[in-house]
Amino acid sequence: MHKLLTALGANVAIIGAQWGDEGKGKLVDAVSGNFDFVCRFSGGANAGHTIVVDGTQFVFHLLPSGLLHKNTVGVVGNGTVVDLPDLLKEITDLEKSGLANVSDRVKISLRAQILMEYHKKIDQELERRKGDQKIGTTGRGIGPAYADKVSRIGIRCEDLLDRDLLREKIENNCTFHNKLLGLNLDPEKEIEALEAVREQVKPMLCDTRKFLHDQIAAGKKVLFEGAQAHQLDIDHGTYPFVTSSPVSIGGVCTGLGVPPKNINGVIGIAKAYCTRVGAGPFPSELENETGELIRKNGHEFGATTGRPRRCGWFDAVVTRNSIETAGVDTVNLTKLDVLSGMPELKVVTKYTLDGQELFTVPTTRKANQKLELEFETFPGWEEDLSGVRKFEDLPENAKNYVLGLERLCGVPIRAIGVGPDRNDLIFR
Ligand code: GDP
Ligand code: IMO
Ligand code: MG
């Protein structure tokens, strides 16, 4: 049993506690050897989860990040939106890199929504029309795919099994979206794209809810892999600058059909500072040289779109909010090594708006302009942390920073990242 997991129970969720890219993929990979199944429950290929093993980098988008372990089975749940050609390419790329039988180890829910080519076109068109109000989406079609789902016109993986129904739905949807948006979506191209992948996809399809239920009942262990993060959650995030699915703990239940009693532990992932890609409020953002320095030292460029990530100080208000909502038991603080060489570090401890304390990021531009922040300042450290493997061996100021964040967040920080590699972790 992995040290980090001993107090957490059989089935564990890993949830992003900030604005995404906290390093979820790295921890999922690091602990996956202890699980039989690793499941994605929400989102799509908007995610980019990076894993580094002995210097080789792997980026997972929709496939669960546990698949580098040869006995792990990956489940893509009903709550996801699946770009099927893209998913097959991810599988092929992994197999090309030397990993055997990946397609035999992937199960896709019959109820997962198929993300169509037209969703990407609609995503880009909607962003274009928003002008300077745009969300800054990944352009992967996520919002429009979820919009079709809740409008009850979405196409699900099970529809692949009925050619006539599939054709009818695609034709209707193209007509609908073409009329609404003045687009020129071609149903024949969409049908062709799915026909090309149908036979490869079919053996992976299954009733993942029943499958997981039976596996859990038989004592198998399941890891729930979060994508995006609490501040991008459709309900709890900085709406409308969010993604389009429930990405916090509730998404595990709806996106896989797993009841709350089968989530036995929750690990929150938080960077030692904050980043955000795309538009939207970011109270602790540093639009100055310090922000530039963090971006440079942390290689803060998107794993999916390559965009520079906005950088800022650690925000304990944001992290506490995520911890409370997801019921986080313990935090994995990542990228502590990136802060070496900073003379001092600030942490947001409190928000006030018009004299009232706020416990969440306000969503309107006006409120954000008036928002007052309180900070706690910590002295920095010079030493390179990348070789450190024991908490006791960290420089005194780095230890104090971690202990300060632990106090401000209210849950133990039991894992600390000091580099991108699978093994660059300190466990307390
Ligand atoms: P995810 O979306 O939450 O899985 O995170 P990403 O993979 O998008 O972004 C995290 C980036 O930081 C990746 O490039 C990781 O390889 C890297 N990373 C993760 N943990 C650490 C760490 O502790 N230190 C450093 N220097 N890099 C890390
Ligand atoms: P991982 O799993 C960081 C952001 C986009 C945009 C907003 C909506 O790697 O942490 P979308 O394409 O989902 O409609 O975009 O959400 N976003 C992410 N930011 N990490 C992610 O995933 C993200 N997935 C979406 O940049 O601001
Ligand atoms: Mg990412």
Side-chain angles (χ1 to χ4, degrees):
M1 169 70 84
H2 196 285
K3 284 180 253 193
L4 184 63
L5 304 171
T6 40
L8 296 178
N11 309 312
V12 172
I14 290 184
I15 304 284
Q18 295 157 329
W19 277 280
D21 303 326
E22 297 91 348
K24 298 175 289 293
K26 177 185 153 188
L27 190 74
V28 168
D29 168 70
V31 301
S32 280
N34 298 267
F35 294 90
D36 301 291
F37 302 97
V38 180
C39 312
R40 276 285 304 271
F41 54 88
S42 67
N46 46 349
H49 296 176
T50 313
I51 296 164
V52 182
V53 186
D54 298 332
T56 304
Q57 179 174 295
F58 301 86
V59 183
F60 288 79
H61 293 286
L62 182 53
L63 283 180
S65 307
L67 286 168
L68 294 182
H69 298 265
K70 293 185 174 52
N71 297 321
T72 302
V73 172
V75 175
V76 178
N78 59 275
T80 62
V81 286
V82 189
D83 181 335
L84 289 168
D86 224 44
L87 186 83
L88 291 185
K89 184 169 180 305
E90 238 187 296
I91 293 176
T92 315
D93 287 350
L94 268 186
E95 290 181 337
K96 271 191 203 148
S97 73
L99 213 66
N101 305 329
V102 180
S103 56
D104 298 340
R105 295 190 284 124
V106 175
K107 297 196 176 293
I108 307 170
S109 168
L110 283 158
R111 291 176 175 236
Q113 297 282 321
I114 301 181
L115 188 140
M116 308 289 293
E117 271 310 299
Y118 57 72
H119 290 131
K120 296 182 215 170
K121 294 192 178 128
I122 297 169
D123 192 1
Q124 284 149 21
E125 174 63 12
L126 293 178
E127 284 284 89
R128 192 187 64 76
R129 289 185 187 202
K130 285 198 175 101
D132 65 0
Q133 297 298 308
K134 71 176 183 215
I135 312 284
T137 71
T138 59
R140 297 291 181 107
I142 305 298
Y146 280 111
D148 279 2
K149 173 181 178 173
V150 295
S151 299
R152 295 162 293 186
I153 58 168
I155 297 171
R156 309 209 293 189
C157 287
E158 63 188 357
D159 297 332
L160 278 179
L161 307 178
D162 183 335
R163 274 209 165 87
D164 295 337
L165 181 69
L166 183 70
R167 166 170 285 277
E168 187 187 320
K169 286 190 172 183
I170 293 176
E171 283 174 351
N172 285 343
N173 285 1
C174 285
T175 307
F176 174 75
H177 290 304
N178 282 342
K179 271 201 190 137
L180 205 64
L181 294 167
L183 294 172
N184 197 15
L185 307 172
D186 178 358
E188 293 309 322
K189 276 203 180 136
E190 301 282 344
I191 293 165
E192 247 170 60
L194 291 187
E195 288 295 338
V197 298
R198 177 207 303 270
E199 293 311 314
Q200 263 175 291
V201 169
K202 256 162 74 178
M204 294 184 229
L205 298 180
C206 89
D207 179 348
T208 51
R209 185 207 64 81
K210 176 67 175 152
F211 175 78
L212 282 177
H213 174 88
D214 291 348
Q215 297 296 334
I216 291 171
K220 299 283 187 198
K221 292 184 178 161
V222 184
L223 182 65
F224 308 112
E225 175 180 354
Q228 290 78 54
H230 185 259
Q231 288 301 321
L232 294 173
D233 183 273
I234 183 75
D235 284 287
H236 299 288
T238 49
Y239 191 87
F241 299 98
V242 291
T243 192
S244 300
S245 63
V247 302
S248 188
I249 201 71
V252 175
C253 300
T254 57
L256 288 165
V258 167
K261 70 174 180 186
N262 287 141
I263 308 170
N264 309 114
V266 184
I267 304 173
I269 315 283
K271 256 182 225 185
Y273 48 92
C274 279
T275 64
R276 165 162 215 172
V277 219
F282 181 1
S284 70
E285 182 169 17
L286 289 160
E287 291 177 281
N288 57 19
E289 281 171 10
T290 309
E292 284 287 341
L293 189 66
I294 295 177
R295 185 175 308 117
K296 186 172 142 272
N297 293 348
H299 306 288
E300 294 297 353
F301 295 88
T304 298
T305 59
R307 291 177 291 178
R309 295 174 182 150
R310 300 155 65 192
C311 297
W313 297 124
F314 189 94
D315 186 330
V317 179
V318 158
T319 316
R320 275 199 303 261
N321 186 329
S322 316
I323 287 171
E324 286 170 7
T325 310
V328 167
D329 296 297
T330 180
V331 165
N332 170 200
L333 187 72
T334 64
K335 304 191 96 162
L336 186 66
D337 54 302
V338 171
L339 298 178
S340 290
M342 310 271 291
E344 62 175 27
L345 304 164
K346 291 189 171 203
V347 174
V348 177
T349 55
K350 190 174 175 183
Y351 291 170
T352 312
L353 182 67
D354 298 328
Q356 287 247 315
E357 182 170 4
L358 280 194
F359 300 94
T360 187
V361 181
T363 49
T364 68
R365 192 174 288 183
K366 257 192 207 153
N368 271 287
Q369 278 163 354
K370 287 202 296 181
L371 188 70
E372 291 172 52
L373 306 181
E374 281 179 31
F375 292 92
E376 186 168 332
T377 304
F378 295 82
W381 60 89
E382 284 296 327
E383 296 88 334
D384 172 12
L385 307 185
S386 56
V388 180
R389 290 294 172 274
K390 285 190 191 143
F391 186 70
E392 303 77 69
D393 296 341
L394 283 172
E396 215 49 39
N397 285 351
K399 272 191 252 181
N400 286 336
Y401 183 63
V402 174
L403 295 175
L405 297 189
E406 186 171 79
R407 164 174 47 82
L408 291 167
C409 291
V411 295
I413 295 175
R414 293 185 43 219
I416 300 157
V418 288
D421 199 90
R422 188 187 260 182
N423 299 316
D424 294 337
L425 276 163
I426 296 171
F427 296 104
R428 284 174 69 213

